[in-house]
Amino acid sequence: MSTSVLSVFPLGFPWQTQDPFLFCVYHLDHYPKGNDEMGPNASLEGRNLGNDFTIKDGWRMYHGQTIPGFPSHPHRGFETITIVNKGFCDHSDSLGAAGRFGNGDVQWMTAGSGVQHSEMFPLLNTEAENPLELFQIWLNLPKKSKFVAPHFKMLWHEDIPVITENGTRIKVISGNYKNTQAPEPAPDSWAKAPENDVAIWNIHIDPQTTFSLPKALPGTNRTLYFYEGDHILIDAEEIRPNHGIQLAASETVLIAAGTKTAHLLLLQGKPLEEPVAKYGPFVMNTEEEIQQAMREYQLTQFGGWPWQYADNVHAKEKGRFAKYPDGTLVEK
């Protein structure tokens, strides 16, 4: 094994991550044409509706009953970063905020002291298939920020830099790539401080070309996820798709693609090095704080649910938009 590669591991569901990240999941669903209700124009027979995580006919309903996705559920103590490369996600939350984003957009949501939200995947196209490709990344919050006010912001794809160099495209969602800075993250994020060296990059390397991944700061945890392609070479070590690679952050890493485009996601950052207590959608520092989160959610529902349906979706004719808790509306 090379000095750059610390370990190689198979990708499951979700993907294995390193501190400061908690969780990363990759959704690739080849949804059929949509129906008038923005669900699949196909039979749902044979699916475990409400908990459909088994790929059947190329797609899943997840917790959705009629529209695929994740109806209202709570979070506390961390952030979600949702990258939608293909398809659309409809967001609704307990603050009254809402949005539709996709085709390259990213939502950065700080759950902080507690929020409910839903993430549904409306199948807007009734004349053709509705492919969905999405990453959701959970980034931990430090102890001092666990109870900040919930917040979300949109990183619209028009504002996210994509660098092309020698047959490689690097989409800089967080961090700094050779002096190209990503859009600002949420204000209370661990990613906000440059010294925390948080980077989220989606990298595509053309067939039979190479990409030199620059070194990171000392003490940074760095993981590369190879999720599509035929193989890559790192320091002459061959790695097949559906594997994660823990890399030495202090070294420049040369990555060579095989005969197909290599699709990679990079997650890196300085670790928080704080205790982690997790229970489903709550991530705190102690078990007592988890119990407190559960009690508070039972009592307050983190503000309640202001929408008619738990699986709320927006009007089919709506374009990409974000409506913030203060009523500000941004339409793209």
Side-chain angles (χ1 to χ4, degrees):
M1 189 170 283
S2 75
T3 57
S4 300
V5 176
L6 302 179
S7 69
V8 178
F9 56 91
L11 297 181
F13 190 91
W15 293 350
Q16 174 183 327
T17 55
Q18 296 188 85
D19 187 2
F21 297 95
L22 298 160
F23 172 103
C24 181
V25 68
Y26 176 58
H27 298 281
L28 179 61
D29 291 281
H30 301 283
Y31 288 115
K33 296 177 182 179
N35 59 28
D36 291 341
E37 288 74 43
M38 291 178 275
N41 190 5
S43 172
L44 300 180
E45 288 287 330
R47 293 183 179 273
N48 183 22
L49 289 180
N51 195 34
D52 178 28
F53 283 79
T54 301
I55 294 177
K56 180 178 183 292
D57 302 326
W59 49 277
R60 297 157 284 197
M61 290 293 288
Y62 301 107
H63 294 312
Q65 299 277 352
T66 57
I67 299 166
F70 297 86
S72 59
H73 56 280
H75 291 303
R76 171 180 275 188
F78 62 99
E79 299 185 288
T80 62
I81 301 150
T82 307
I83 305 166
V84 183
N85 285 340
K86 300 175 185 175
F88 292 92
C89 180
D90 275 10
H91 166 88
S92 309
D93 69 31
S94 54
L95 306 174
R100 172 171 290 162
F101 59 99
N103 288 351
D105 300 326
V106 177
Q107 185 201 63
W108 197 304
M109 188 186 84
T110 306
S113 60
V115 67
Q116 281 194 76
H117 76 153
S118 62
E119 304 153 289
M120 305 305 298
F121 310 138
L123 307 185
L124 302 178
N125 197 333
T126 58
E127 302 301 321
E129 293 186 343
N130 291 270
L132 177 80
E133 184 184 74
L134 176 153
F135 300 97
Q136 184 164 99
I137 300 157
W138 290 13
L139 175 62
N140 205 1
L141 285 168
K143 182 178 178 64
K144 67 182 179 66
S145 302
K146 291 286 190 188
F147 288 94
V148 298
H151 177 90
F152 93 92
K153 69 177 298 182
M154 289 305 310
L155 312 183
W156 301 110
H157 72 78
E158 297 92 339
D159 303 323
I160 301 173
V162 178
I163 298 149
T164 301
E165 55 177 44
N166 304 319
T168 297
R169 291 162 301 288
I170 308 100
K171 184 173 184 176
V172 186
I173 296 159
S174 178
N176 184 300
Y177 179 81
K178 295 183 178 179
N179 297 319
T180 295
Q181 184 65 45
E184 281 283 308
D188 295 294
S189 179
W190 185 248
K192 179 76 171 177
E195 62 268 24
N196 292 335
D197 203 22
V198 174
I200 302 172
W201 301 341
N202 202 181
I203 302 166
H204 297 82
I205 309 173
D206 282 349
Q208 298 180 324
T209 62
T210 59
F211 168 62
S212 181
L213 179 66
K215 65 178 64 175
L217 295 178
T220 294
N221 285 337
R222 171 176 265 189
T223 308
L224 190 67
Y225 300 91
F226 179 29
Y227 62 93
E228 186 178 333
D230 58 358
H231 71 273
I232 56 174
L233 295 174
I234 298 181
D235 296 346
E237 180 176 348
E238 183 174 296
I239 300 167
R240 293 288 171 178
N242 297 312
H243 281 84
I245 307 106
Q246 291 185 4
L247 295 171
S250 58
E251 296 188 26
T252 299
V253 179
L254 190 66
I255 306 166
T259 58
K260 296 182 179 179
T261 300
H263 299 243
L264 305 142
L265 180 72
L266 175 82
L267 299 182
Q268 73 172 42
K270 289 285 185 71
L272 274 68
E273 296 182 333
E274 294 181 353
V276 174
K278 292 191 289 185
Y279 183 81
F282 307 132
V283 182
M284 305 302 292
N285 297 109
T286 67
E287 289 301 323
E288 291 78 11
E289 289 171 331
I290 292 292
Q291 294 300 319
Q292 178 189 354
M294 294 170 66
R295 287 193 300 270
E296 288 188 24
Y297 178 62
Q298 288 171 350
L299 287 170
T300 69
Q301 299 293 294
F302 293 159
W305 189 248
W307 308 95
Q308 184 176 3
Y309 301 109
D311 60 350
N312 188 62
V313 291
H314 310 304
K316 182 182 287 190
E317 63 272 13
K318 283 289 274 187
R320 295 154 57 228
F321 78 98
K323 179 189 174 188
Y324 294 94
D326 65 0
T328 300
L329 178 65
V330 176
E331 296 181 303
K332 304 302 284 187

